[in-house]
Structure formats: C-alpha cells, structure tokens
Amino acid sequence: MNLPKDPEIPPQINIVPLIDVVFSLLTFFILSSLFLSSPEGLPVNLPKATASQPTQTTNRVTITIDSKGQVSLDRQPTTVEALPAQLTALAATRQDLIAVINSDETVDFGLAVAVMDRVRQVKGVKLAVATRRPQ
C-alpha cells in the first residue's frame, strides 16, 4: 500500500469572524441601551438657554418644580422645608452628588430661589439648573 508522504495539516479554527460578530452585537446593545434611558424628572416646560451644557449622569438627583408649584425629589412629592434633610441623607450614601433643578418656566421665581437656597445649605451637594436649547 502506498501512503502519501504529505505531512498532515493540523486543524485550525479561524476566530476572526467570531470576533466581528461579537463586536457587532456589543455595538448593537450599547446603542440600543442609550435610547432606552428616560429622564428622571417629571415632565415640565423647561426655560430656554443658549449656553446650556449637559451634566454628568452619575450621582444625580432631580428636583422638579411643576407649574402648580409642587416640589418633587426624584419623582417623589416633598416640601421645600424637607429638601435639606432628604439631600443630606442622599449625600451621605453618594459622593459628588449633583442636584438638578427642573423648574417649569411659569413657576414663581421666588419658589425656585427658595429651592436653590435649600439645596445650597447641604454640604457636598452641587447645584445645576436644567434648561433646554431653543430650536
């Protein structure tokens, strides 16, 4: 019997197409998760500002003042007087806490200033005001 003298080629697995598929799936899930995020605050008509800048999303609480003057902290109704105690409790568990104020554009300026004053009383909490860009 005559056997061929060719050396046997060891079997190989080409993983380059597998890597391409994995990166495609990863890209799909990252992009789709960006569109699933929802705003934390209640829906209000924000005032317009041309110099507005986005803030970081980590360690953020949202204080909403609706058109009726109702104050909410992360969608939970609260009062202006209770804000410092609630923010102090949140600041104890989170570092670099940012309080974003979503105030309706029809809200009395005095109420918005009172809320800002209460937020500024809490040590370790930074203050930001939410606005929208004009179209």
Side-chain angles (χ1 to χ4, degrees), residues 30-40 57 60 75:
I30 289 173
L31 290 177
S32 63
S33 68
L34 292 176
F35 293 109
L36 294 177
S37 65
S38 63
E40 292 88 22
T57 57
R60 182 170 87 174
R75 295 184 178 246

Side-chain angles (χ1 to χ4, degrees), residues 19 28-29 40 44 46 61 65-66:
I19 293 172
F28 170 77
F29 285 116
E40 292 88 22
V44 292
L46 295 174
V61 295
I65 309 170
D66 64 9

Side-chain angles (χ1 to χ4, degrees), residues 47-104:
K48 296 177 184 175
T50 56
S52 64
Q53 297 176 350
T55 61
Q56 65 184 15
T57 57
T58 58
N59 293 332
R60 182 170 87 174
V61 295
T62 305
I63 301 169
T64 305
I65 309 170
D66 64 9
S67 60
K68 297 175 186 173
Q70 301 292 325
V71 179
S72 303
L73 178 65
D74 281 341
R75 295 184 178 246
Q76 300 298 320
T78 187
T79 62
V80 178
E81 294 78 22
L83 274 176
Q86 293 172 339
L87 288 174
T88 303
L90 288 173
T93 60
R94 302 184 200 173
Q95 293 198 356
D96 298 328
L97 187 66
I98 297 177
V100 179
I101 298 180
N102 286 341
S103 178
D104 194 275

Side-chain angles (χ1 to χ4, degrees), residues 11-29:
Q12 295 179 353
I13 298 176
N14 190 0
I15 62 168
V16 174
L18 178 65
I19 293 172
D20 292 341
V21 169
V22 168
F23 280 131
S24 298
L25 288 173
L26 181 65
T27 304
F28 170 77
F29 285 116

